Amino acid sequence: MANEQKPKQKLGFTIIKDDPTDGHGGFGIGSLSLENVSPVIIDVEEGLARIEIGAMHARSDTERGIKFTANREDSEGGKPYWLVWVTIDFKEDGPYYAGVTACEMVVNREKRRGYKILADHVNRMDKSMKRQIIVEHMDDKSKRILAEFLAGHNQEMWQRSEPKLFTDLGLESSDL
């Protein structure tokens, strides 16, 4: 039936829509905008990564209907996830993945409970916006999922990224 079709997944990163330095040269020059940050959620067990814009406000499909606490025991037996903040910036030769920071999250749908440290999620988003790369604490499987997702999403942005991103994801170069 027509009503049973799944909605199409949006796969685009949020790229800067307007240049804060465009024209006027006044207040706000060089200010960071949330428009160039995208949340990527990695489902470790499924081996999938997807952009979930709702995570900007803790309202992603993964988080919906879950009461989160900072106590791991509340979500015991749940599925592991990573929320990865990806910031895109521009070099002379084009856009690249400038900030990539990962935050741990566990979701137990059965109990409708989850584990995350909200302050950590906010701080990591800020660090991503400041062009930092913090992914070394991720497990190897998740690093691989993230690397393949970023490279597959846009090979040119992946190739232009800083060597630290590849190294911290356990790669010797941008080649997968």
Side-chain angles (χ1 to χ4, degrees):
M1 310 279 168
N3 291 346
E4 292 179 21
Q5 290 181 344
K6 290 183 178 178
K8 289 183 181 177
Q9 284 189 320
K10 292 181 183 166
L11 294 175
F13 277 96
T14 305
I15 299 205
I16 299 171
K17 294 179 192 153
D18 49 271
D19 181 357
T21 63
D22 190 24
H24 65 82
F27 179 76
I29 290 300
S31 62
L32 292 171
S33 165
L34 287 178
E35 290 180 4
N36 62 340
V37 177
S38 295
V40 174
I41 294 194
I42 296 174
D43 182 328
V44 180
E45 289 178 3
E46 298 294 324
L48 297 172
R50 66 189 171 279
I51 297 169
E52 287 197 35
I53 295 299
M56 293 291 286
H57 306 287
R59 296 276 183 261
S60 68
D61 290 343
T62 303
E63 297 164 294
R64 196 163 292 154
I66 302 297
K67 178 178 175 24
F68 284 94
T69 68
N71 183 352
R72 278 185 188 279
E73 293 163 11
D74 292 345
S75 61
E76 199 171 328
K79 282 179 70 170
Y81 291 89
W82 290 98
L83 170 56
V84 183
W85 299 108
V86 179
T87 301
I88 294 171
D89 202 352
F90 294 85
K91 294 180 177 182
E92 276 187 34
D93 54 344
Y96 71 107
Y97 300 122
V100 182
T101 58
C103 318
E104 187 182 7
M105 192 164 62
V106 177
V107 174
N108 188 321
R109 286 249 161 250
E110 201 174 287
K111 293 181 182 177
R112 293 183 20 194
R113 292 289 178 265
Y115 165 79
K116 72 176 173 182
I117 299 172
L118 186 58
D120 184 44
H121 285 229
V122 172
N123 289 335
R124 292 282 165 93
M125 181 175 70
D126 181 58
K127 288 180 187 305
S128 177
M129 291 169 57
K130 290 177 178 169
R131 315 309 187 248
Q132 293 182 26
I133 295 170
I134 305 172
V135 294
E136 65 279 357
H137 60 293
M138 296 174 72
D139 59 280
D140 290 341
K141 179 181 178 183
S142 298
K143 287 179 183 180
R144 185 75 181 184
I145 295 165
L146 179 60
E148 289 174 359
F149 177 80
L150 293 173
H153 182 270
N154 188 305
Q155 187 65 35
E156 291 77 27
M157 287 198 304
W158 173 252
Q159 293 290 336
R160 283 190 284 267
S161 296
E162 299 299 323
K164 179 176 173 34
L165 177 60
F166 313 129
T167 304
D168 288 0
L169 287 174
L171 304 171
E172 291 183 24
S173 69
S174 62
D175 299 329
L176 289 175

